[in-house]
Every structure is written in structure tokens, then in C-alpha cells.
Amino acid sequence: MKKVLFVCLGNICRSPMAEFIMKDEISKRNCKANFVVASAGTSDEEEGNPVYPPAREELARHGISCAGKRAKKFTYSDYAEYDYILCMENSHVRDLRRVTGGDPDGKIFRLLDFSSAPHDIADPWYTRNFSLTYAEIEEGVRAFLDSLSKEI
Ligand code: 4NP
């Protein structure tokens, strides 16, 4: 069993998209029972809010529901709870390294560092390009799962 937490700033756009894209991908790969998947934000600004409508609509275009998801802030106890903490940007990695005393267990990564073209996933709050966000997250999730299957 692997526990995976996706992290962005607000937990209303990128990390919930990653949470539900990952759930869809593990369902397609018939390995849902091997994972616990969730998401959180580095900020408490959006705490309790549902997924931002354009992000929800982009997921729905791919047949994915994120019903019931509410934003939550990353807490120190999440660090012990999860095996992989996958951030959307280097700034989130830096924030979480501060909160966790420098990531002593080596659990914090940037999602696209698992791909062949490592980079930050741009914030769609500003780019407004939710289909690009979806494509980049999907690429990262697939690369992450492929890297785990090579490990086994
Ligand atoms: P997220 O997007 O970090 O992908 O959830 C954002 C959500 C809210 C804000 C910025 C980014 N904001 O400034 O309120």
C-alpha cells in the first residue's frame, strides 16, 4: 500500500486535479487497492472550499468527478501519514521542506520530476489554461506510476 498526497498552493485547482486524475489512472490500471490518494494546499486561504469550477469542468470533460472534495491545508501530521508528497511547483517543495524540517525521510518531490521533461506545473489560476494543466498533470501521474512499477 502506497499513500500519495498531491500538494499545490490553494488545493482548489492543481492538486485536486492531480488527486482525481491519479484515482482515475489507478482505476484504469486495476491497481486501486494498492493506493490511498489525497491532496492538500500549502496555504489555508481556500480551506473548506470546493474545487474551482474551471478545474472541475476540465475533469468532467475527461469523465472524472471530484464531487465532495473540499480544500484542506497541509499539516505536519500529513508528513508521517503519506509515503509520497508530490508538489506542483518548486515553491511548494521549498514551503514543505520548511514545515517538515528539511524532508528528513525524502518523501517530497515535484510531480514532473518523474517525467522526461521536469518543470513546474504553471498555476492555471493565472494562465487560465486548464486543459494544459490537465495534460501536464496526466503526464506526471503516468510517469510517477511507471516509476513505481519499475521499482517492484
Ligand atoms: P492552486 O491554484 O494552488 O492550483 O489550487 C490557486 C488557487 C487560489 C489562488 C492561487 C492559486 N489564490 O491566489 O487564491
Side-chain angles (χ1 to χ4, degrees):
M1 169 74 75
K2 304 266 189 222
K3 294 183 162 188
V4 180
L5 183 71
F6 292 99
V7 172
C8 64
L9 176 69
N11 194 215
I12 57 166
C13 296
R14 290 164 292 179
S15 62
M17 287 177 78
E19 173 184 344
F20 290 95
I21 291 169
M22 170 89 167
K23 286 175 173 168
D24 182 61
E25 190 67 24
I26 58 181
S27 168
K28 286 176 181 153
R29 293 184 187 209
N30 291 315
C31 58
K32 218 171 161 180
N34 300 341
F35 291 94
V36 168
V37 185
S39 63
T42 58
S43 143
D44 64 2
E45 195 109 336
E46 300 289 348
E47 190 113 53
N49 287 340
V51 177
Y52 187 52
R56 188 179 69 219
E57 286 154 17
E58 184 61 34
L59 288 171
R61 270 193 282 282
H62 295 268
I64 298 175
S65 166
C66 57
K69 169 64 188 170
R70 292 289 182 275
K72 65 156 246 161
K73 183 181 191 281
F74 180 91
T75 61
Y76 182 68
S77 64
D78 290 325
Y79 189 68
E81 177 70 20
Y82 290 92
D83 303 305
Y84 291 91
I85 299 169
L86 303 179
C87 297
M88 301 299 122
E89 287 182 19
N90 263 327
S91 69
H92 311 140
V93 172
R94 280 197 299 276
D95 285 347
L96 293 192
R97 287 182 65 84
R98 268 195 299 274
V99 175
T100 61
D103 185 20
D105 300 333
K107 297 174 171 185
I108 301 174
F109 302 91
R110 188 172 60 161
L111 178 59
L112 281 175
D113 283 344
F114 290 91
S115 80
S116 55
H119 61 275
D120 285 354
I121 293 173
D123 192 340
W125 186 264
Y126 300 106
T127 68
R128 311 311 298 174
N129 191 340
F130 287 84
S131 61
L132 175 64
T133 306
Y134 186 98
E136 290 188 328
I137 291 172
E138 182 181 54
E139 182 192 353
V141 163
R142 287 178 175 167
F144 170 66
L145 285 169
D146 290 347
S147 82
L148 287 186
S149 58
K150 277 183 203 126
E151 225 178 64
I152 296 163

